[in-house]
Amino acid sequence: MRLVVTGAAGFIGTNFVRHALARSADAVSRLVAVDLLTYAGNYANLADLEADPRFRFVRADIADRDAMATLVDEEAVDTLVNCAAETHVDRSIADHSPFVTTNVEGTLVLLEAARQRTGFRRFLQVSTDEVYGSISAGRATEDWPTRPSSPYAASKAAADAFVQAYATTYGLPAIITRCSNNYGPYQFPEKLIPLFVTNGLDGEALPLYGDGLNVRDWIHVEDHCAALWHVLGLPAAGGEVFNVSAEHEVPNRDVTDVILRLLDRPASLVRYVDDRPGHDRRYALDATRLRRLGWAPRRRFEEGLADTVAWYREQRAWWEAIKSGAYRDYYERMYGGRLRDSSAAPRS
Ligand code: NAD
Ligand code: TDX
């Protein structure tokens, strides 16, 4: 496989690059890690991999047509896994424009580069359960319609639609995975779990949105990466969708309780703040299709979360570097006013 992984310096990209390079030496002869290094990308996550002759890092924008076409050609790429995206729902509500540029236009640029390349084998679009929208009952299967709620989810659903259009119109062997909420090492501390773990470690408030009873379907990032690797080996003509989930639903309040227990911190750190606009109540995926095709999650949530808390405890230098500078402005903008108006009791 001559593989490009985009968004390689982000949370899932970093874990996936490490997963792919750890497979048998025959499996990957070249791995080009592409990342623009936005606020969410961190080259330090990958620096030690430069010692591997199969590995190359390229700082580039996936929305840069010339750069992507040249790279795919020069490196004789046959497989592309697109993890590059703007990924934070709250940021998409504040400003949707980078979400359109990277998630929609960037995906189109990559599709076009793949389409032009002779011998291209597989395009894998890493998508999300959020495209199905909030699910009051049951679990979404792959044939459910997309009903995105946030600008982030809308940009991901639009990208998925383009991937399917390229498979149908041009016969591009492009497939989509839609995964539930990930947790694990290297996650940027704007997402619920790393934010609450790092705030908890510092004895700072944990801002729970609304009544704290929104439900997310949690999977360890290693299980997600194993699923991405697994689907790369499946026969598929193009246009197929595979849900990825451990089918483990937890309300945010319970996630928070487990984190506090693991950190040995008091419940008084929890502050209820004004809700996220359009906040999806519940995500739940049916992953039967991929299970029948031979993939299964291995990590149990409680044990995986304990390992994750231990990782953040040990990697204080990693997240302290992130939580300085521009992050402080972001945090004040996003949480300053809300925390000043917060309460110890849930919002109705
Ligand atoms: P992340 O925010 O941690 O990482 C995204 C990476 O993309 C960063 O390294 C960033 O620098 C890079 N990037 C952003 N814009 C770019 C551009 N224009 N060109 C090149 N690189 C760019 O996100 P993540 O959690 O690793 O998510 C990766 C993918 O997985 C996304 O497509 C996301 O929608 C999807 N996903 C995430 C989750 C989750 O729970 N984290 C769940 C399901 C699906
Ligand atoms: O400070 C917070 N307080 C809070 O109560 C934050 C950051 C979140 N929350 C709630 C909102 C959600 O119900 O926690 C839940 C999880 O929130 P996020 O970590 O922001 O994730 P979510 O919005 O569920 O989206 C995530 O999963 C799907 C990723 O960010 C997406 O990239 C992925 O596609």
Side-chain angles (χ1 to χ4, degrees):
M1 205 185 288
R2 295 188 65 85
L3 175 66
V4 164
V5 180
T6 64
F11 167 47
I12 292 166
T14 294
N15 281 284
F16 180 71
V17 165
R18 290 179 176 282
H19 184 93
L21 289 174
R23 300 309 97 196
S24 85
D26 302 343
V28 177
S29 57
R30 185 70 163 156
L31 193 155
V32 184
V34 173
D35 203 293
L36 183 57
L37 301 181
T38 68
Y39 79 91
N42 191 345
Y43 172 74
N45 296 354
L46 303 171
D48 64 303
L49 299 175
E50 299 279 9
D52 187 326
R54 296 171 297 166
F55 178 83
R56 177 185 168 201
F57 177 78
V58 177
R59 184 175 192 177
D61 186 343
I62 61 160
D64 181 336
R65 197 174 286 263
D66 292 341
M68 291 304 111
T70 306
L71 184 81
V72 165
D73 230 36
E74 248 177 35
E75 291 283 357
V77 172
D78 57 28
T79 307
L80 190 150
V81 178
N82 182 23
C83 296
E86 287 290 334
T87 60
H88 197 40
V89 171
D90 295 319
R91 290 184 195 255
S92 81
I93 296 167
D95 177 11
H96 63 266
S97 57
F99 289 76
V100 176
T101 310
T102 291
N103 300 3
V104 185
E105 289 173 19
T107 301
L108 261 166
V109 165
L110 296 174
L111 287 166
E112 197 53 34
R115 179 169 91 84
Q116 301 295 340
R117 169 89 204 142
T118 319
F120 194 84
R121 258 191 67 238
R122 179 66 72 225
F123 186 107
L124 171 53
Q125 175 70 1
V126 179
S127 187
T128 168
D129 58 358
E130 300 211 13
V131 299
Y132 297 115
S134 197
I135 293 168
S136 50
R139 298 183 157 272
T141 52
E142 289 83 354
D143 53 4
W144 277 36
T146 55
R147 293 186 200 284
S149 305
S150 68
Y152 161 71
S155 70
K156 293 295 291 183
D160 286 7
F162 276 113
V163 172
Q164 288 178 312
Y166 265 63
T168 306
T169 306
Y170 305 112
L172 187 74
I175 57 176
I176 298 166
T177 51
R178 291 181 178 151
C179 190
S180 61
N181 280 62
N182 286 220
Y183 66 96
Y186 299 104
Q187 188 168 28
F188 192 87
E190 65 189 350
K191 306 295 189 324
L192 177 76
I193 288 180
L195 177 66
F196 280 19
V197 171
T198 55
N199 277 13
L201 282 167
D202 280 347
E204 285 181 18
L206 312 186
L208 254 189
Y209 294 166
D211 62 7
L213 291 177
N214 298 65
V215 171
R216 292 295 181 266
D217 183 354
W218 291 100
I219 185 170
H220 195 281
V221 66
E222 280 170 12
D223 283 329
H224 184 191
C225 292
L228 297 176
W229 185 258
H230 190 79
V231 297
L232 285 178
L234 294 176
E240 290 84 350
V241 176
F242 302 94
N243 286 347
V244 182
S245 161
E247 301 185 0
H248 187 77
E249 292 175 48
V250 194
N252 294 338
R253 259 196 231 176
D254 293 359
V255 174
T256 309
D257 288 346
V258 179
I259 291 172
L260 287 170
R261 202 175 62 241
L262 288 166
L263 294 174
D264 194 22
R265 294 288 186 191
S268 57
L269 284 186
V270 175
R271 301 299 303 175
Y272 286 90
V273 298
D274 281 353
D275 209 353
R276 169 187 283 173
H279 193 176
D280 283 334
R281 192 64 169 166
R282 172 175 174 262
Y283 296 141
L285 283 182
D286 182 327
T288 307
R289 179 175 197 190
L290 198 52
R291 281 175 179 271
R292 288 200 177 129
L293 290 166
W295 168 84
R298 302 158 79 105
R299 307 295 305 264
R300 285 186 48 251
F301 182 67
E302 293 71 15
E303 158 255 309
L305 191 53
D307 286 353
T308 303
V309 167
W311 189 86
Y312 281 91
R313 212 190 266 285
E314 283 156 22
Q315 302 296 329
R316 178 173 273 278
W318 183 87
W319 56 266
E320 273 188 345
I322 292 170
K323 283 185 124 181
S324 60
Y327 182 93
R328 299 302 330 161
D329 300 335
Y330 159 81
Y331 198 78
E332 175 56 30
R333 230 177 22 255
M334 204 58 87
Y335 294 100
R338 285 202 282 181
L339 277 169
R340 285 188 280 279
D341 293 341
S342 65
S343 50
R347 302 290 163 105
S348 50

